[in-house]
Amino acid sequence: MIIKERELSRHIRPSDYPELAVRMCDISTGAGADGMIVVRQDPALEMVFFNCDGSRAPMCGNGIRCFAHFCKREGIATEDSYSVKTLAGDMVVEVTCREPFRVKINMGKPLFSSDDIKVDFKGENYLLRNLTLDDGTDIEINSLFMGTIHTVVFMDNLESADIPKLGEEICNHPVFKEKTNVNFVKVVDHETLEVKTYERGVGMTLACGTGACASVLVANMQGRCGKQADVLLKLGKLSISIAEDGNVYMEGPSVRILDGKFY
């Protein structure tokens, strides 16, 4: 769900955006969405993203593709390549196809320090850990910052595992001071991953762009896939590539499903 800040400013203050996000994203009394995006144009083009629970997230991979599509359709961004300001840094957008709309985003480089992930682990550049669950079992996790905080869990039984329950428990585990997105990954082959994501502030989601990037990054670091891989999601596919300089690129579609007014 995307709104121009210039239109919002006539009716609502920025401090009220979190409450507005909750109301607009409500599936029963609002439009129903995982998040709300505010298009800020002054002093620079910026994507301001809120989860459906009203919390602000630094970045959203799916959101920035929708943001780019909206800006192209509304004439806000007339070039096919431009920069978008986010809390996770400036993201470079490149429109690769106008109809059907596809866009490639330079998502920047991953971060691996404990400070970036907001955990108490010390002295490690790459966080591969065993996490003890409520039932006493240990699960291997891989955590990093890729646009936002992500944890990657490799599984062979995505179909039979209770992903929503596991995702909620890992997301809210006390080791993560600011919670974490949780990506459950099945390696299909060396060029293909299947991913299901539990998002902090949202719950289970149909797709997560930053999560797809995080999943390919960790899989590549562990030799499970190459530097370029397709990520299969519930409603489609994203193409993720890791450049020699460490920057991660995400390419995928955006589809407009409705325009409307919220009262």
Side-chain angles (χ1 to χ4, degrees), residues 165-230:
K165 181 177 182 296
L166 275 173
E168 182 179 16
E169 184 173 347
I170 296 171
C171 173
N172 294 285
H173 195 283
V175 74
F176 296 105
K177 298 176 184 178
E178 296 185 5
K179 302 186 180 182
T180 180
N181 297 284
V182 190
N183 307 281
F184 297 93
V185 182
K186 178 180 178 180
V187 179
V188 179
D189 55 44
H190 202 63
E191 291 81 32
T192 314
L193 306 179
E194 181 182 353
V195 178
K196 294 184 178 180
T197 299
Y198 184 99
E199 285 193 21
R200 59 175 180 172
V202 177
M204 292 302 301
T205 187
L206 298 174
C208 179
T210 52
C213 293
S215 299
V216 172
L217 269 164
V218 176
N220 176 256
M221 292 177 76
Q222 295 186 0
R224 299 174 187 260
C225 77
K227 288 187 175 294
Q228 184 167 343
D230 288 335

Side-chain angles (χ1 to χ4, degrees), residues 7-215:
E7 296 177 357
L8 268 184
S9 60
R10 293 177 293 177
H11 309 286
I12 190 169
R13 298 169 299 179
S15 60
D16 294 326
Y17 289 174
E19 180 185 353
L20 180 65
V22 172
R23 293 175 60 194
M24 292 189 70
C25 293
D26 190 278
I27 196 169
S28 299
T29 58
D34 282 352
M36 180 185 82
I37 299 171
V38 177
V39 179
R40 180 170 291 163
Q41 295 174 250
D42 300 312
L45 186 59
E46 180 179 0
M47 183 179 84
V48 184
F49 183 83
F50 293 90
N51 292 313
C52 61
D53 69 349
S55 60
R56 186 169 177 187
M59 238 293 286
C60 175
N62 283 343
I64 199 167
R65 295 198 317 277
C66 297
F67 178 95
H69 194 178
F70 180 86
C71 288
K72 176 63 69 176
R73 188 169 64 89
E74 295 293 315
I76 296 171
T78 56
E79 302 294 327
D80 283 342
S81 182
Y82 55 92
S83 180
V84 177
K85 182 179 176 63
T86 77
L87 286 182
D90 292 347
M91 304 293 160
V92 179
V93 169
E94 180 186 350
V95 178
T96 57
C97 184
R98 296 191 179 192
E99 189 61 44
F101 186 86
R102 286 184 66 85
V103 66
K104 186 175 184 178
I105 314 287
N106 182 345
M107 304 286 283
K109 298 178 181 180
L111 302 172
F112 300 104
S113 77
S114 302
D115 290 339
D116 294 315
I117 307 166
K118 311 301 181 187
V119 295
D120 289 328
F121 302 151
K122 299 296 181 184
E124 293 181 49
N125 185 47
Y126 174 58
L127 294 181
L128 171 60
R129 287 273 177 163
N130 283 328
L131 193 71
T132 302
L133 302 178
D134 289 342
D135 62 4
T137 61
D138 287 338
I139 188 168
E140 189 177 274
I141 64 168
N142 310 265
S143 298
L144 68 159
F145 186 97
M146 185 66 242
T148 186
I149 300 170
H150 279 283
T151 293
V152 175
V153 180
F154 291 99
M155 304 185 78
D156 295 325
N157 59 334
L158 281 183
E159 298 78 14
S160 59
D162 191 346
I163 298 298
K165 181 177 182 296
L166 275 173
E168 182 179 16
E169 184 173 347
I170 296 171
C171 173
N172 294 285
H173 195 283
V175 74
F176 296 105
K177 298 176 184 178
E178 296 185 5
K179 302 186 180 182
T180 180
N181 297 284
V182 190
N183 307 281
F184 297 93
V185 182
K186 178 180 178 180
V187 179
V188 179
D189 55 44
H190 202 63
E191 291 81 32
T192 314
L193 306 179
E194 181 182 353
V195 178
K196 294 184 178 180
T197 299
Y198 184 99
E199 285 193 21
R200 59 175 180 172
V202 177
M204 292 302 301
T205 187
L206 298 174
C208 179
T210 52
C213 293
S215 299

